[in-house]
Amino acid sequence: QLDAQQVQMHFGPIDLRTVIDAARESYSWVQEQHELRIDVPDHLRIRADSAMMEKVVSNLLENAAKYSKPGSPITISAEDANDKVLLSIADQGAGIEPSEQALIFERFYRGRSQALGTSGTGMGLAISRAIVEAHGGSIGVTSQPGRGSVFTLTMPKAEVTDESRLQPV
């Protein structure tokens, strides 16, 4: 549906911390198994559809937890980069082989070492990429096998002059 542009999105300025908090609440089991470290400046806003961005953050948070040992930390951080916002979700999990890093964003692709031991359809990262790109952003990964992964979203920054225009989550 995203590829066919059949999903209606409502873009507006949204507070990034609000999106992260909603994803944390939806996936509260992650906090029961992992220490969540949040380093996101207050009032950092992106131009996005809040429900769609919550799906992306939730998916990345779920993946970080699924592919990491219980008890290991997951860090969510963000920074203002002029007209963009960089949002990163880092884990200390299994990591991704260099030859597979570009492929993990393709539909139905599951990493060779991950396909056997963890449930999933291989659609989460493909859907996340489609959502992020529909927002004019990008998603990438830096990873080392056995040491973890960092997924980074680059999203358009919202310039908010009227606080009442913030989208509710």
Side-chain angles (χ1 to χ4, degrees), residues 7 9 11 30 34 43 53 63-64 83 88 93 103 111 123 125 131 148 166:
V7 174
M9 290 191 249
F11 296 93
V30 172
H34 298 272
H43 309 297
M53 286 312 301
N63 280 355
D83 61 338
S88 297
L103 299 172
M123 288 297 292
L125 290 175
I131 291 170
L166 279 179

Side-chain angles (χ1 to χ4, degrees), residues 25-161:
E25 188 174 312
S26 295
Y27 285 83
S28 59
W29 65 268
V30 172
Q31 294 180 104
E32 295 168 10
Q33 297 180 13
H34 298 272
E35 174 191 355
L36 277 183
R37 299 174 181 169
I38 311 293
D39 183 17
V40 177
D42 290 333
H43 309 297
L44 189 56
R45 294 177 176 84
I46 59 175
R47 183 184 168 279
D49 177 286
S50 60
M52 289 291 161
M53 286 312 301
E54 182 185 338
K55 287 179 194 283
V56 172
V57 173
S58 294
N59 180 57
L60 294 174
L61 189 58
E62 178 184 29
N63 280 355
K66 282 188 349 186
Y67 296 109
S68 298
K69 291 179 182 173
S72 63
I74 296 172
T75 303
I76 301 174
S77 60
E79 65 181 273
D80 185 333
N82 298 319
D83 61 338
K84 304 281 185 202
V85 171
L86 304 178
L87 171 66
S88 297
I89 299 180
D91 64 56
Q92 295 177 5
I96 304 159
E97 293 291 335
S99 62
E100 294 182 309
Q101 289 180 21
L103 299 172
I104 62 171
F105 295 102
E106 299 298 321
R107 285 184 216 149
F108 306 114
Y109 186 82
R110 303 208 53 227
R112 286 184 201 104
S113 61
Q114 306 307 324
L116 298 175
T118 305
S119 64
T121 62
M123 288 297 292
L125 290 175
I127 291 169
S128 293
R129 181 181 68 180
I131 291 170
V132 168
E133 289 178 353
H135 282 77
S138 62
I139 185 171
V141 65
T142 304
S143 186
Q144 284 188 295
R147 302 199 76 179
S149 302
V150 179
F151 284 84
T152 302
L153 308 177
T154 303
M155 298 296 297
K157 183 178 173 184
E159 296 297 330
V160 179
T161 56

